Amino acid sequence: MNILRKLKPLMLVISSIFVFNTIYSQAGLLDSINKYKYNNPNKGKTFAYSLLKEGELRNNYQFIVTSLSSLGEIYDILSQKDSARYFFDEAIIKAYDSSNEDYVLFSKLSKASFLYNNYYLDLSLQIYNEALELATKLKYKQVQDNINIKIGRIKYAIDEYEVALKIFKDNYNNFSNQKYDISYSTDIYIAKCYEKLNKIDSALVYLQKGIEKSRKANDKEYEILFLNEFAIYYIHQKDLKKVDSVIDLAIQNSNELGVQKYNPTLLHTKARSRVSVGNYQESVKILTKIIEDNDKKIVPENLSKYYKLLAESYKEIDSVQKSNEYYQKYVIEENKKHNRKFNTLSDLHQLDLAKVNKKKDSYLQQRIYLTAIVCILLLLLLVFMLYQRKRNKVNQERFIVLMDKIKSYETKKKITDNSLNTNNNNEYIDNANNHQSYINEENLEKFINKTEPKVPEIDTSNDTQFIIKDEKINEILLKLKKLEEKQYFLKQDFTLHSAAKRLKTNTAYLSKIVNNELGKGFSTYVNELRINYALLELKNNSKLRAYSVNSIAQEMGYKSADSFTKYFKVATGLTPSVYIKKMNNFDKNNSSELV
C-alpha cells in the first residue's frame, strides 16, 4: 500500500502528460490541416485522414466530423467534386449519429459553402435554410446573422440585387462593430449591389467604410478587394488615371502577400476601364495575357467574364471570327453554372451577322447549307416528335394504371386503418404481413438483386439459436410497423444494421423475419416503402412536386437523384419527373372540370 501511495503522484503525472499529448496531437493535426489544405492539399489530406483515424479510435465525434468536413474541402480544392460531396455527406451523417446539434450545424454549413462555391446555388440555399432553422433553435444569434449574409450572397449571385441588398442592410448593424472579416465583407457586398443597381454614390459610401475597417484590421486581402471595387467606381467616373492607380496598388499588395489569385480579377477590371474609353486593342492585350497565364486557375464564373469582355472587344475591332470564338467559350462556361438567370444572355453580346455573312463564299452556298440544315433539323424533329408521341402514350398508360392502383391502395388503407382502431395486435401484425403496395415489386426485387451486392446468407436450418419463436416474430414485426409509421425509412442511414439496432435485435434475426414473413429482402422492403411514400406524397403534395428531383430524392431517404430515379423507374415504369408532370396535368384537368 505504501508503494502505491508513493507511485500515485507519478501515475497522475504520467496520466496528465498522456492526456496533454493527446490534446496537443489533435490540435496539431488541426493546425496542420489548415496550414496545408490550400498550398499543399495532398499533405493536408494526410493530416485529415490521421485526425479521422484518431477520432474513430477514441470515438471523438468532434474530430470525426471536423476531419470529414476538412477532407471535403481538400477534395474540392483538388477538383475531385464527387469525393468532396461524399465526405461532406458523411460529416452530416456522423454529426447526426453524435446527437450533437452543434456538429450538425457545423457540417451543414460546411456542405452549404461547398455547394455555393461550386454554383449549386439552389441546393446551397436549401441547406443554408436548414442551418438557419437549427441556429435559430439553438439561439445562436451570431450564426443566424452569418447565415443570412450567406443567403444574401446567393441572391446576389443569381442577380436578385434588390433582395440581396435588403438582406445585407437588415443584418448590417449586427456586424458593424465586429472586427472579423464578415463585417467589411458585408460592406463590399452592399457596395457591389449598389453598383449593379447603378447607385454609384451609395456604393462609394460603403466602399469608404469597408476599406477603412480592413486597413484598421490590417487585412490586406480585403483591402485588395476594396481597391478593385474602387477601380470599378472610377470606371463609372471615367477617371482612367485613378483606375490605374488603385489597380497598381492592389497588384502590389497582392504580390507582397504572395496571394496572386486576385491579380486576374484586378486586370479584368483594368481591361473594363479600357473598354469604357474605347481602347479595345489594349483590352484584348490585357485579357489575352490573363487567360494565357491563369487559364486553369480562374474559376468558371470569372473565366466566363473574361471571355465575354474579349468577345465584345474583338467585335469592336472587326475581328468577327475571334469574337465568335470567345462568345462560344463564354456560353459554354456560363452553362456550367447552376440555377442562374439566362434570360438576358443574348443581351450581353450581339454578334454582327452582317459581317459574318460577308465572309461567306456566296449567297447560293449559304442557301444550300441552310436548306440542308433545315431539312436535317426537320427530319430530326419529326423523328423526335414520333418518339415523344409514342413515349407519352406509353407513359400515359402506365400513369393511368398506377393511379388506379394508388386509388385502390388508398381505399384499402382507409379500411385497414378503421379496422386497426378496433382490432387487436394480432390483426395489426397480420396487416404488417400482408403489406400492401402498388408498385411492381417483382421488378424492384430483380433490379436490387442484380445491382446490389448480395449479403451471404447464414445457413440457419440446423442451428437452434436461429429458430425464432412466434411471439418474437410478432414483436419484431410490430416494432417494424411502428418504425414505418414514424417514417424512419426516410432517413438516409436506415439500413439493416440501423433498423436492427433500433429494434434491439440482431441483423440475422431481422433479415430472416423480413424474408420469411414479408417475402422480400430488406433492401427491397426499404425501397418499396420509400417509393410508395414518394408516389403518395407527390400525388397529394403539390409543393413537393415543385422541388428538384435531387431535393425530393433526399426527402425520400436517397443520397442521390440517380439512385432515386433508378428505383422509381424500375418500380413504376416512369421517371419521377414524368410522374410529376403527369400529376400536375392530372390536378389541372380535375380543377378545370370542377370549375
Side-chain angles (χ1 to χ4, degrees):
M1 290 293 290
N2 290 332
I3 294 173
L4 287 174
R5 286 196 190 96
K6 290 178 181 179
L7 288 176
K8 189 174 181 181
L10 180 61
M11 291 168 67
L12 287 171
V13 170
I14 293 171
S15 175
S16 299
I17 292 171
F18 175 76
V19 172
F20 174 78
N21 284 340
T22 300
I23 294 170
Y24 180 79
S25 171
Q26 291 171 338
L29 287 171
L30 280 171
D31 289 341
S32 298
I33 292 168
N34 292 327
K35 179 180 179 181
Y36 291 110
K37 67 182 177 183
Y38 291 111
N39 55 16
N40 191 345
N42 284 316
K43 193 170 183 178
K45 184 169 62 173
T46 303
F47 287 113
Y49 276 117
S50 298
L51 182 62
L52 178 60
K53 184 177 179 182
E54 186 80 13
E56 288 174 341
L57 282 172
R58 303 183 183 282
N59 200 30
N60 186 324
Y61 277 102
Q62 179 183 356
F63 288 100
I64 291 172
V65 173
T66 303
S67 60
L68 288 170
S69 296
S70 296
L71 283 167
E73 289 180 46
I74 291 167
Y75 277 108
D76 183 28
I77 292 165
L78 292 169
S79 298
Q80 298 178 28
K81 306 301 180 183
D82 290 339
S83 296
R85 193 162 190 165
Y86 166 79
F87 282 107
F88 282 119
D89 286 339
E90 281 295 302
I92 292 174
I93 290 169
K94 292 297 183 183
Y96 275 113
D97 287 346
S98 73
S99 300
N100 186 313
E101 291 181 320
D102 285 343
Y103 300 162
V104 174
L105 180 59
F106 168 78
S107 60
K108 281 183 176 287
L109 288 174
S110 297
K111 184 177 180 182
S113 179
F114 159 73
L115 292 169
Y116 171 78
N117 291 334
N118 287 279
Y119 311 111
Y120 293 96
L121 301 180
D122 53 344
L123 294 178
S124 176
L125 185 59
Q126 177 188 331
I127 296 177
Y128 271 132
N129 281 326
E130 292 173 7
L132 185 59
E133 287 181 14
L134 185 53
T136 304
K137 176 187 172 184
L138 296 172
K139 298 181 180 179
Y140 292 165
K141 184 66 172 65
Q142 186 172 308
V143 178
Q144 292 174 52
D145 296 335
N146 200 336
I147 294 171
N148 280 323
I149 293 298
K150 301 287 187 183
I151 292 172
R153 292 182 183 182
I154 293 174
K155 295 294 184 182
Y156 175 86
I158 60 175
D159 305 338
E160 293 185 10
Y161 305 121
E162 292 279 6
V163 178
L165 181 61
K166 186 177 186 306
I167 292 173
F168 293 137
K169 295 198 76 174
D170 286 346
N171 291 273
Y172 182 74
N173 292 332
N174 300 329
F175 295 106
S176 58
N177 296 320
Q178 294 181 15
K179 293 183 178 179
Y180 52 92
D181 65 358
I182 195 72
S183 171
Y184 32 87
S185 71
T186 308
D187 285 310
I188 204 167
Y189 267 97
I190 291 175
K192 284 158 77 82
C193 285
Y194 276 128
E195 191 263 326
K196 292 291 185 182
L197 295 170
N198 206 28
K199 297 180 179 179
I200 307 305
D201 291 336
S202 298
L204 180 62
V205 172
Y206 286 92
L207 288 177
Q208 289 170 336
K209 287 182 182 180
I211 199 167
E212 184 181 339
K213 291 177 190 175
S214 65
R215 283 171 174 168
K216 192 173 181 180
N218 198 30
D219 191 330
K220 292 291 184 182
E221 287 198 44
Y222 260 100
E223 183 180 343
I224 292 167
L225 296 175
F226 276 108
L227 287 170
N228 185 63
E229 293 303 315
F230 268 106
I232 293 171
Y233 169 79
Y234 290 130
I235 289 173
H236 287 283
Q237 302 299 315
K238 305 290 184 185
D239 193 335
L240 206 60
K241 286 185 178 179
K242 286 188 177 179
V243 171
D244 288 347
S245 175
V246 294
I247 290 294
D248 290 344
L249 176 59
I251 291 174
Q252 180 185 333
N253 289 348
S254 178
N255 292 335
E256 287 175 1
L257 282 175
V259 285
Q260 297 175 348
K261 62 183 179 181
Y262 298 116
N263 287 358
T265 300
L266 296 168
L267 291 172
H268 175 268
T269 303
K270 192 170 188 176
R272 275 182 63 183
S273 71
R274 298 307 187 263
V275 169
S276 70
V277 295
N279 191 344
Y280 301 106
Q281 291 282 6
E282 190 173 350
S283 170
V284 167
K285 185 178 177 181
I286 293 169
L287 293 167
T288 305
K289 185 85 167 72
I290 296 171
I291 293 171
E292 286 175 356
D293 294 345
N294 303 278
D295 191 12
K296 294 182 180 178
K297 298 178 184 178
I298 302 172
V299 294
E301 183 183 36
N302 288 338
L303 194 57
S304 67
K305 292 195 296 187
Y306 301 130
Y307 289 150
K308 171 180 172 282
L309 199 58
L310 257 175
E312 290 174 348
S313 299
Y314 273 122
K315 178 183 174 181
E316 293 298 330
I317 59 175
D318 294 331
S319 183
V320 179
Q321 186 178 354
K322 280 285 187 181
S323 176
N324 233 353
E325 175 189 339
Y326 281 105
Y327 179 67
Q328 288 173 356
K329 287 184 177 182
Y330 162 69
V331 171
I332 290 169
E333 291 300 328
E334 280 291 299
N335 287 336
K336 290 179 182 177
K337 302 174 193 175
H338 296 271
N339 222 27
R340 299 298 180 118
K341 292 186 177 179
F342 292 102
N343 58 330
T344 58
L345 188 61
S346 59
D347 295 333
L348 298 175
H349 180 83
Q350 291 294 330
L351 292 174
D352 194 341
L353 295 177
K355 291 182 180 179
V356 174
N357 290 336
K358 286 179 182 179
K359 295 185 180 291
K360 298 292 182 180
D361 294 335
S362 68
Y363 173 76
L364 180 60
Q365 191 176 17
Q366 284 184 37
R367 190 168 181 177
I368 291 171
Y369 287 152
L370 185 60
T371 304
I373 291 169
V374 169
C375 289
I376 292 169
L377 289 175
L378 286 173
L379 182 61
L380 290 173
L381 182 61
L382 180 61
V383 172
F384 178 73
M385 288 175 66
L386 290 172
Y387 170 75
Q388 281 290 95
R389 186 177 178 183
K390 183 179 179 181
R391 192 177 70 171
N392 287 340
K393 185 179 179 182
V394 172
N395 286 341
Q396 184 63 24
E397 289 171 356
R398 288 175 178 171
F399 179 73
I400 291 169
V401 171
L402 191 59
M403 289 300 293
D404 289 340
K405 287 183 179 180
I406 293 173
K407 187 176 180 181
S408 173
Y409 172 81
E410 289 178 322
T411 304
K412 287 178 182 178
K413 191 174 185 301
K414 285 180 182 178
I415 296 169
T416 302
D417 290 342
N418 291 333
S419 66
L420 286 177
N421 292 329
T422 57
N423 294 341
N424 58 28
N425 281 344
N426 289 330
E427 291 174 337
Y428 187 71
I429 292 161
D430 288 339
N431 279 299
N433 295 338
N434 298 320
H435 187 76
Q436 298 180 54
S437 178
Y438 39 86
I439 62 176
N440 194 322
E441 297 179 14
E442 186 179 349
N443 280 357
L444 186 59
E445 181 81 33
K446 287 180 181 177
F447 178 74
I448 288 172
N449 290 337
K450 185 179 178 181
T451 57
E452 294 189 0
K454 287 189 176 181
V455 179
E457 293 187 2
I458 302 170
D459 184 6
T460 62
S461 57
N462 297 317
D463 196 340
T464 55
Q465 68 174 323
F466 280 97
I467 298 173
I468 312 172
K469 295 180 180 179
D470 288 345
E471 56 267 26
K472 183 65 176 178
I473 292 173
N474 291 343
E475 179 189 343
I476 290 176
L477 284 174
L478 192 60
K479 288 180 178 179
L480 195 60
K481 189 68 178 177
K482 288 180 180 177
L483 283 185
E484 287 182 30
E485 291 171 353
K486 291 180 180 179
Q487 299 177 350
Y488 275 103
F489 56 85
L490 297 180
K491 294 181 179 292
Q492 291 186 2
D493 61 347
F494 187 71
T495 60
L496 179 62
H497 178 75
S498 65
K501 188 176 179 181
R502 286 190 177 277
L503 298 175
K504 296 182 180 178
T505 185
N506 60 56
T507 55
Y509 268 35
L510 181 57
S511 178
K512 186 175 181 181
I513 289 171
V514 172
N515 272 284
N516 292 348
E517 303 301 321
L518 302 183
K520 61 196 73 174
F522 188 82
S523 184
T524 304
Y525 162 72
V526 172
N527 278 288
E528 279 183 18
L529 289 174
R530 287 174 175 172
I531 301 302
N532 284 332
Y533 180 83
L535 285 166
L536 276 178
E537 279 297 297
L538 289 169
K539 174 181 176 289
N540 299 320
N541 187 347
S542 59
K543 289 183 179 178
L544 182 63
R545 296 199 295 266
Y547 289 9
S548 67
V549 173
N550 192 65
S551 298
I552 295 170
Q554 291 183 355
E555 291 285 330
M556 299 304 140
Y558 290 96
K559 291 183 179 180
S560 72
D562 286 343
S563 296
F564 174 55
T565 301
K566 285 177 185 176
Y567 287 122
F568 195 99
K569 178 74 183 294
V570 170
T572 66
L574 302 172
T575 63
S577 55
V578 169
Y579 178 71
I580 289 168
K581 184 179 178 181
K582 295 286 184 186
M583 203 66 250
N584 286 333
N585 290 338
F586 181 80
D587 284 354
K588 186 178 179 181
N589 292 336
N590 283 351
S591 62
S592 62
E593 285 176 10
L594 290 173
V595 174

